[in-house]
Amino acid sequence: MFGTVVVGVGIAGLARIRDLMNPMPSSPSEHLKLFGFVSRRSFGNVNEAKQISLEDALRSKEIHAAFISTENRSHEETIRMFLEAGKHVLVEYPMALSAKAAHELWEMAEQRDKVLHVEHVELLTEEYKQLKKEVAGKDLVKGTLHFTGHVLDENKTGFPAFSGIARLTWLIDLFGDLTVTSATREKQKDKNYSRMTVHFQTANK
C-alpha cells in the first residue's frame, strides 16, 4: 500500500478524502492508504479520516505522497516542504503563482527523484472532452469564454488572473499558445464586485 495524506479540507480536499476512503473497485486508488489529513483548523475526524499535524505528515515513513488542496498562494511552500521530506506530491491547479517558481519546483522534484503532478480535473470531465471533439480541426475566428464566481480573498488565491487560470488552460489546450493583447480590470468595492476582461490572440492571429 502507498501511504498518502491530504493537505487542506476545502471542497477539493474533502472530495479527495472521500475518494481515498472509498476507492472505486479495481482502480489504482485501491493501492492508496490515507493516513490522515492536515488542516490549520481543528476538525478531529472527517469521514473517518483522522487529523494529523503537518510535522507528523512530513516525518512519517508510512506516508509516501501528499495531495495538496489548499489555497493557491500556499501551494509553492507546501510542495517544497513535502519534496524536501522525500514525498511525492499531487497538487491542485495552479501549482504556483509564477512560472519561475513552477520550474524550480519541477527541478527540485527531479533532483529528488519524486513525482510532482499538477492535476486539472476539469480537463478530464466528459463535458470538456466533448467540447474538445467539437473544435477539433476547426479554425478559431472569434470566441468568448465567460464565467462567474464569488469574489475571492486575493491574499489567499493570488491576483484575480489566478482565480480564472484554470479556464485559460482550456483555451490553450483547445487552440494552442495564446498571446495577451489587452487586459482590464473593473472593481466596485461597495458592491463587492470585480471583473477582469482579457483579450488573446492565437498563433495564427
Side-chain angles (χ1 to χ4, degrees):
M1 294 294 284
F2 203 73
T4 64
V5 63
V6 171
V7 183
V9 285
I11 295 171
L14 289 171
R16 294 271 181 215
I17 291 170
R18 179 200 65 209
D19 293 345
L20 287 165
M21 296 296 285
N22 302 285
M24 289 178 63
S26 303
S27 72
S29 298
E30 285 194 315
H31 301 287
L32 302 176
K33 180 178 180 182
L34 180 64
F35 277 89
F37 67 90
V38 173
S39 176
R40 291 186 302 264
R41 295 171 290 171
S42 181
F43 285 95
N45 288 2
V46 171
N47 293 345
E48 297 180 22
K50 66 177 182 177
Q51 185 166 1
I52 61 176
S53 70
L54 176 61
E55 293 73 21
D56 286 346
L58 293 167
R59 273 197 306 260
S60 174
K61 301 290 186 209
E62 294 180 298
I63 293 174
H64 308 102
F67 291 177
I68 299 173
S69 303
T70 57
E71 63 273 4
N72 297 344
R73 192 171 289 278
S74 68
H75 286 183
E76 180 183 344
E77 181 186 2
T78 311
I79 291 168
R80 285 186 192 280
M81 286 191 289
F82 278 96
L83 288 177
E84 285 170 356
K87 318 289 186 191
H88 301 288
V89 176
L90 179 146
V91 62
E92 304 288 341
Y93 193 92
M95 177 167 69
L97 297 189
S98 74
K100 182 176 181 286
H103 286 292
E104 286 174 4
L105 292 170
W106 264 313
E107 285 173 16
M108 187 177 176
E110 196 171 317
Q111 288 165 2
R112 286 166 167 72
D113 197 27
K114 297 299 170 191
V115 173
L116 172 53
H117 176 71
V118 187
E119 184 154 284
H120 191 346
V121 177
E122 288 179 353
L123 299 185
L124 305 176
T125 63
E126 291 307 314
E127 292 87 349
Y128 183 79
K129 289 176 185 174
Q130 183 60 38
L131 177 62
K132 194 161 185 179
K133 281 181 189 172
E134 287 175 16
V135 302
K138 295 177 182 174
D139 287 327
L140 176 67
V141 177
K142 190 175 182 181
T144 302
L145 177 65
H146 177 83
F147 58 95
T148 60
H150 60 280
V151 177
L152 299 172
D153 181 350
E154 290 185 30
N155 291 325
K156 293 180 179 178
T157 59
F159 189 67
F162 274 88
S163 306
I165 201 165
R167 301 304 195 288
L168 302 186
T169 306
W170 285 16
L171 296 178
I172 292 169
D173 188 53
L174 293 170
F175 305 113
D177 286 344
L178 301 171
T179 302
V180 178
T181 58
S182 69
T184 58
R185 184 183 182 192
E186 176 191 347
K187 287 179 80 174
Q188 296 177 22
K189 281 194 174 180
D190 56 325
K191 296 181 180 177
N192 202 25
Y193 174 85
S194 175
R195 179 173 69 184
M196 176 169 276
T197 304
V198 187
H199 293 95
F200 298 98
Q201 226 175 35
T202 59
N204 63 2
K205 310 295 182 190

